Amino acid sequence: MRYGRLRNLGMKTLETLTFDNAALRDLPVDTITENTPRQVKNACFSKVQPTPLSGPSTVVYSSSAMSLLDLPESELQRQEFPGYLCGSKSIPGADYASHCYCGHQFGYFSGQLGDGATMYVGEVINNDSQRWEIQFKGAGKTPFSRTADGRKVLRSSLREFLCSEAMFHLGVPTTRAGSCVVSTDTVVRDILYDGHPINEKCTVILRIAPTFIRFGSFEIFKTIDRATSRVGPSVGKTDILKQLLSYTKNRFYPDIAGDIEDEETVVAMYREIMERTALLVAHWQTVGFCHGVLNTDNMSILGLTIDYGPYGFMETFDPGFICNGSDKGGRYSYEAQPAMCKWNVKKLGEMFALVVSQQKLDEVLLSWEQVYDREYNSLMRKKLGLLNENLGDADLFSKLFETMRETHSDFTTTFLLLQSADFLENANLDGLVDQMLRNCLSVEEVKKTLKPTFSKSDCAALLKVVHQFSGGNAGGFNPLAMYGIEVDSVLRDHQIHQDLDQYNKMTAEDRNKQCRDKWLEWLALYKDRVDEDCQISNLPNYKEARIDVQKKSNPVVVPRNHILQRAIDRAELGDNSLARRLLEVFERPYETPPEQWLAERDVGDKGACTVT
């Protein structure tokens, strides 16, 4: 009876989803069906089956994400829901498979990687004729699992679920997360890699996107790599490469004229991928998001944020912010993200160049900076409430971030404070400066953030070696490589020791004056720019228009690590309430959360908000 009513309303049940699994129909599938770790040659997918879990239960689900599949709230609350969404019960119409791809990891070609813990479930066509690929992450072993178990745990799964949905509602292109299902089964994990493993609960999330094809999908055709001597598992199979190019173009770039036998068609698709990637990283930079693992296998062919691992939203502004503990050289730091994304696009171009002119692809990449700068500057103007373009804006933005760096200001809170600034009616900046000072770290707080890896004496000795062998050029030969040390990490520690020397000599009064002078200097520039913008706009309601733009561009809440950790800690004890409340807050990031959920943190925590 209930199922009949849903059909009449155009909604679906878990048993009546409309599947059309085009990827497995249009791309080559591995002829070997045995689910054992191996090189998968001449195929884009391998058929698999999820490994069932015991005692599945729902931690949290996203109604808005699941509505993409035409699933109503009543379906998400069914008793059978967690079984279906962890792979213990097969979804009718699903055709489970794992995707084969390669990747450049930390700059080196790693050969075959593939979906070691992720499974293609199928492609759902909704009532609006939209096609959504759905995936399980953590549903068991695949031919790409190597020595791993194909499982994910609650800790990492809940982080990915919450951030995926938060990013979507922040307006950042991203994959979606439909559900997070935990089980009573456990796997052993050494969280800190310190020899103290613990048992953690197996967890599966449902991921949703038009496709999960990535840059690394095209690297299965890579010829021998000079640095690693590795090749892709389908090297030389130009026919399959053309199949994948054709599939990608026809399914996801249908507006591009021609077919892939036409060189200009492939170049046009490459240009579109380049532009989408540039727009994506511009969004990351303006919300303070650091991905952490920008390998080519983690780059979407559609310019979406995918594969949330050791990501982090920056708190105290630091252009060298690194959220991945294994990124010792800072390759994927916050400030490096635009250059790394461009590098990844270049690597994708090398695969496209197996069938089209490398020169034409290189010419496309020449416009990267123009595309990125245009989007970045546009987003930054909105964050500062500037309605008109000015040639000096890039310099204004640069000086703002330099001021934030020198005063150690919180990224998100800084823009909220500037949003409240009323320059047009109050020429005195002292009141605003007082607020900005409360958003800065004190001397003692700054010193706690400065944590060098090497002692001052060791750092000096290592730098001496670097200068002797490479003339101080950190971008050249690395004489420390044999010791597993990156030159950039030594240079970073050298700067940290210099900063510590400075702050050890600084009093609280010195620090206060330093921060006050820095903010007064920048705010004076900002005030002049706002006055100019007001005159150019010539709007009677300019103030309201400016603040409205800022309110839509500056989130009140972002997924800070300490907030996520509290939800994880509670969920691991069986209390999912905080995870569910956080999802509701993250779904409205530009609104102040309801009072009963909002707890203003003390001055020492820089006034950011959390949820209790």
Side-chain angles (χ1 to χ4, degrees):
M1 181 72 173
R2 175 169 62 87
Y3 295 164
R5 286 202 302 271
L6 287 178
R7 281 196 292 271
N8 292 336
L9 292 171
M11 304 302 286
K12 298 297 177 74
T13 70
L14 291 164
E15 294 84 1
T16 61
L17 293 172
T18 302
F19 280 94
D20 178 46
N21 305 323
L24 302 187
R25 184 173 64 246
D26 297 346
L27 295 172
V29 176
D30 186 12
T31 57
I32 301 174
T33 57
E34 186 179 358
N35 189 358
T36 56
R38 64 182 186 277
Q39 284 284 299
V40 175
K41 299 182 178 182
N42 309 327
C44 294
F45 287 92
S46 293
K47 292 291 189 73
V48 292
Q49 285 295 322
T51 304
L53 288 170
S54 305
S57 62
T58 304
V59 178
V60 60
Y61 59 76
S62 167
S63 299
S64 68
M66 296 300 271
S67 70
L68 298 172
L69 312 180
D70 295 328
L71 290 173
E73 189 79 15
S74 58
E75 280 299 289
L76 313 183
Q77 297 177 359
R78 284 177 58 192
Q79 183 178 354
E80 299 90 346
F81 179 80
Y84 275 123
L85 272 297
C86 76
S88 292
K89 187 176 177 66
S90 185
I91 302 174
D95 198 354
Y96 305 97
S98 53
H99 180 41
C100 181
Y101 54 83
C102 296
H104 279 80
Q105 299 188 313
F106 289 91
Y108 295 96
F109 183 62
S110 299
Q112 177 179 291
L113 298 170
D115 285 336
T118 305
M119 291 181 188
Y120 168 101
V121 176
E123 298 164 56
V124 175
I125 310 298
N126 67 16
N127 289 326
D128 294 324
S129 299
Q130 296 172 328
R131 177 182 297 270
W132 295 101
E133 180 181 331
I134 57 177
Q135 280 191 347
F136 287 155
K137 186 171 183 178
K141 289 184 178 182
T142 76
F144 308 104
S145 298
R146 298 185 288 281
T147 60
D149 53 30
R151 293 300 190 189
K152 294 297 177 181
V153 297
L154 180 57
R155 166 175 45 85
S156 59
S157 299
L158 190 52
R159 274 177 53 86
E160 173 157 358
F161 175 91
L162 289 171
C163 195
S164 297
E165 290 304 283
M167 290 284 271
F168 172 77
H169 292 284
L170 283 168
V172 181
T174 181
T175 58
R176 302 292 301 275
S179 61
C180 178
V181 173
V182 71
S183 72
T184 56
D185 294 336
T186 61
V187 288
V188 176
R189 294 289 187 268
D190 188 350
I191 302 175
L192 300 177
Y193 303 101
D194 60 356
H196 295 88
I198 62 172
N199 289 316
E200 296 192 71
K201 293 179 180 178
C202 296
T203 307
V204 177
I205 60 172
L206 181 77
R207 306 202 298 186
I208 306 171
T211 184
F212 287 87
I213 299 291
R214 54 200 67 211
F215 291 9
S217 303
F218 293 86
E219 291 187 301
I220 65 173
F221 310 104
K222 181 169 172 52
T223 56
I224 190 165
D225 184 80
R226 293 181 180 179
T228 64
S229 299
R230 297 189 178 107
V231 298
S234 295
V235 61
K237 293 294 180 178
T238 308
D239 57 329
I240 300 178
L241 170 58
K242 289 183 176 181
Q243 248 185 294
L244 182 56
L245 283 167
S246 182
Y247 171 80
T248 302
K249 184 267 173 192
N250 293 336
R251 287 289 175 192
F252 310 113
Y253 294 98
D255 294 336
I256 296 175
D259 59 42
I260 57 96
E261 295 299 331
D262 179 357
E263 184 174 68
E264 293 306 316
T265 298
V266 178
V267 173
M269 183 166 70
Y270 181 68
R271 180 179 294 107
E272 183 71 20
I273 294 168
M274 179 276 289
E275 290 181 353
R276 290 192 187 193
T277 305
L279 300 184
L280 172 66
V281 69
H283 275 83
W284 290 350
Q285 300 304 97
T286 53
V287 295
F289 174 79
C290 194
H291 184 283
V293 199
L294 285 178
N295 301 324
T296 55
D297 53 292
N298 294 331
M299 300 292 296
S300 164
I301 208 74
L302 297 182
L304 305 175
T305 313
I306 60 172
D307 294 340
Y308 292 87
Y311 69 83
F313 276 82
M314 187 157 37
E315 299 196 17
T316 301
F317 180 73
D318 173 11
F321 172 62
I322 300 169
C323 60
N324 183 351
S326 62
D327 186 7
K328 303 302 182 184
R331 178 181 176 85
Y332 300 141
S333 67
Y334 167 81
E335 65 183 346
Q337 289 186 136
M340 287 299 100
C341 286
K342 179 183 178 182
W343 190 89
N344 289 336
V345 173
K346 178 176 174 57
K347 289 299 170 184
L348 176 65
E350 292 174 5
M351 297 301 98
F352 281 28
L354 294 173
V355 293
V356 299
S357 164
Q358 179 71 67
Q359 180 181 350
K360 289 187 176 182
L361 298 170
D362 290 344
E363 288 171 357
V364 168
L365 202 54
L366 291 176
S367 61
W368 168 275
E369 282 75 15
Q370 179 184 358
V371 175
Y372 171 80
D373 289 345
R374 183 172 61 243
E375 181 71 4
Y376 176 80
N377 289 334
S378 174
L379 293 170
M380 282 299 300
R381 273 190 290 274
K382 291 176 182 178
K383 291 181 77 67
L384 294 178
L386 301 172
L387 308 184
N388 301 279
E389 185 177 353
N390 183 293
L391 292 177
D393 284 346
D395 186 53
L396 180 70
F397 305 153
S398 178
K399 289 178 178 176
L400 167 60
F401 285 117
E402 181 60 20
T403 301
M404 291 168 64
R405 185 191 69 80
E406 291 177 332
T407 60
H408 296 84
S409 297
D410 182 89
F411 185 98
T412 302
T413 309
T414 293
F415 289 100
L416 292 175
L417 292 173
L418 293 174
Q419 179 176 299
S420 65
D422 190 354
F423 291 121
L424 302 179
E425 298 176 7
N426 184 6
N428 188 347
L429 298 175
D430 288 341
L432 177 57
V433 170
D434 288 340
Q435 294 184 60
M436 304 305 286
L437 291 180
R438 289 194 290 272
N439 188 43
C440 303
L441 295 186
S442 67
V443 172
E444 294 305 315
E445 288 172 328
V446 171
K447 289 194 287 188
K448 289 179 182 178
T449 68
L450 299 174
K451 299 177 180 179
T453 302
F454 304 104
S455 67
K456 192 173 183 179
S457 58
D458 286 347
C459 194
L462 290 170
L463 277 178
K464 186 175 180 180
V465 173
V466 171
H467 282 280
Q468 285 176 340
F469 283 87
S470 59
N473 179 11
F477 169 66
N478 178 11
L480 307 177
M482 67 179 71
Y483 306 110
I485 299 173
E486 295 284 346
V487 173
D488 284 347
S489 65
V490 179
L491 293 173
R492 193 163 50 248
D493 272 14
H494 176 64
Q495 183 60 53
I496 289 174
H497 284 295
Q498 288 186 323
D499 291 344
L500 279 170
D501 289 342
Q502 174 190 349
Y503 286 105
N504 281 330
K505 299 173 184 176
M506 187 179 289
T507 66
E509 292 75 17
D510 293 336
R511 173 63 172 168
N512 187 277
K513 183 179 186 306
Q514 178 197 48
C515 293
R516 178 175 291 276
D517 289 347
K518 293 292 182 183
W519 277 115
L520 276 171
E521 180 182 355
W522 185 82
L523 287 170
L525 297 174
Y526 182 37
K527 183 182 185 306
D528 289 344
R529 178 67 179 87
V530 171
D531 289 343
E532 174 196 61
D533 195 56
C534 177
Q535 293 173 11
I536 296 173
S537 299
N538 195 28
L539 294 173
N541 61 339
Y542 171 79
K543 172 186 171 182
E544 291 76 11
R546 183 175 74 85
I547 293 177
D548 183 61
V549 168
Q550 286 181 288
K551 285 185 175 180
K552 293 176 181 177
S553 305
N554 296 315
V556 178
V557 289
V558 294
R560 298 174 186 257
N561 278 336
H562 67 89
I563 299 177
L564 297 174
Q565 191 57 52
R566 290 178 61 194
I568 292 167
D569 291 343
R570 291 195 192 180
E572 287 180 335
L573 295 175
D575 178 4
N576 301 321
S577 60
L578 181 54
R580 295 173 183 180
R581 290 204 302 273
L582 277 178
L583 175 61
E584 293 183 35
V585 172
F586 291 156
E587 287 176 333
R588 297 173 177 81
Y590 298 101
E591 301 175 15
T592 301
E595 286 299 324
Q596 66 268 28
W597 293 352
L598 183 64
E600 291 297 338
R601 300 163 64 204
D602 60 31
V603 173
D605 281 333
K606 304 299 150 261
C609 62
T610 186
V611 179
T612 57

